[in-house]
Amino acid sequence: MLAVIEKVESGYIAKFNRPFKYSVSRVWAALTENDKLERWMPNLQIQDLRKGGTIKFDMKDGSGKCFDINILDVKEYSVLEYTWGEDRVRFELFPTSDGCLVILKEFISTLTDHTSIDLAGWHVCLDLLSALLDGHPRAFPKDEWEKWHAAYSKSVENELQ
């Protein structure tokens, strides 16, 4: 299911709702422990998990280019929010009767050509997170990303009309 893009006063919010059949603590560990994080979002490495702390973003394109992402909010087993370029990303975890619900929100100031790239990336990374939790981690599937990129390009285009 595609993320829902909503127009708000400050820009847009893209919202992904993903149910997982695993406990909040297990999903939280996959979001915040580097040995697990690298298996579904290899560009990120938690440096200092606290409000005001940092996450390192490594382009992993051979350029050696890295930059710091600022952690804006952390509530253990509940919220992880950080900057994402000019925007921000927020993970919210909610316990459910059969696991937990992850709500990923990307707060986007302006929709651009890059928006669909990010949204397709988050979509695939959430799929990779699910595969990791299921015990079947896999490499980033570029062909799946291309499919989702096309879908998100249309979604962003529709939002701009």
Side-chain angles (χ1 to χ4, degrees), residues 90-116:
R90 181 179 178 91
F91 288 89
E92 299 172 348
L93 283 65
F94 300 93
T96 63
S97 60
D98 60 346
C100 83
L101 173 66
V102 173
I103 298 176
L104 166 59
K105 297 176 184 175
E106 184 173 355
F107 297 85
I108 306 164
S109 54
T110 305
L111 295 178
T112 68
D113 292 341
H114 201 279
T115 302
S116 59

Side-chain angles (χ1 to χ4, degrees), residues 5-79:
I5 301 172
E6 176 186 359
K7 176 81 172 114
V8 294
E9 187 175 316
S10 59
Y12 298 86
I13 299 174
K15 184 176 167 184
F16 298 84
N17 290 333
R18 290 289 181 99
F20 289 96
K21 59 183 177 185
Y22 301 100
S23 68
V24 165
S25 61
R26 187 162 172 189
V27 175
W28 181 258
L31 292 175
T32 61
E33 295 175 13
N34 287 328
D35 63 323
K36 294 170 184 66
L37 180 60
E38 72 182 351
R39 310 239 1 237
W40 70 272
M41 184 58 151
N43 299 83
L44 299 184
Q45 183 177 45
I46 304 284
Q47 300 291 300
D48 185 10
L49 184 61
R50 65 175 176 80
K51 186 174 182 174
T54 57
I55 300 172
K56 183 73 70 187
F57 185 97
D58 183 342
M59 293 298 291
K60 298 221 182 234
D61 61 0
S63 69
K65 208 173 182 182
C66 294
F67 56 90
D68 288 341
I69 293 172
N70 299 313
I71 298 175
L72 302 171
D73 196 9
V74 175
K75 292 180 184 76
E76 191 173 29
Y77 305 116
S78 178
V79 172

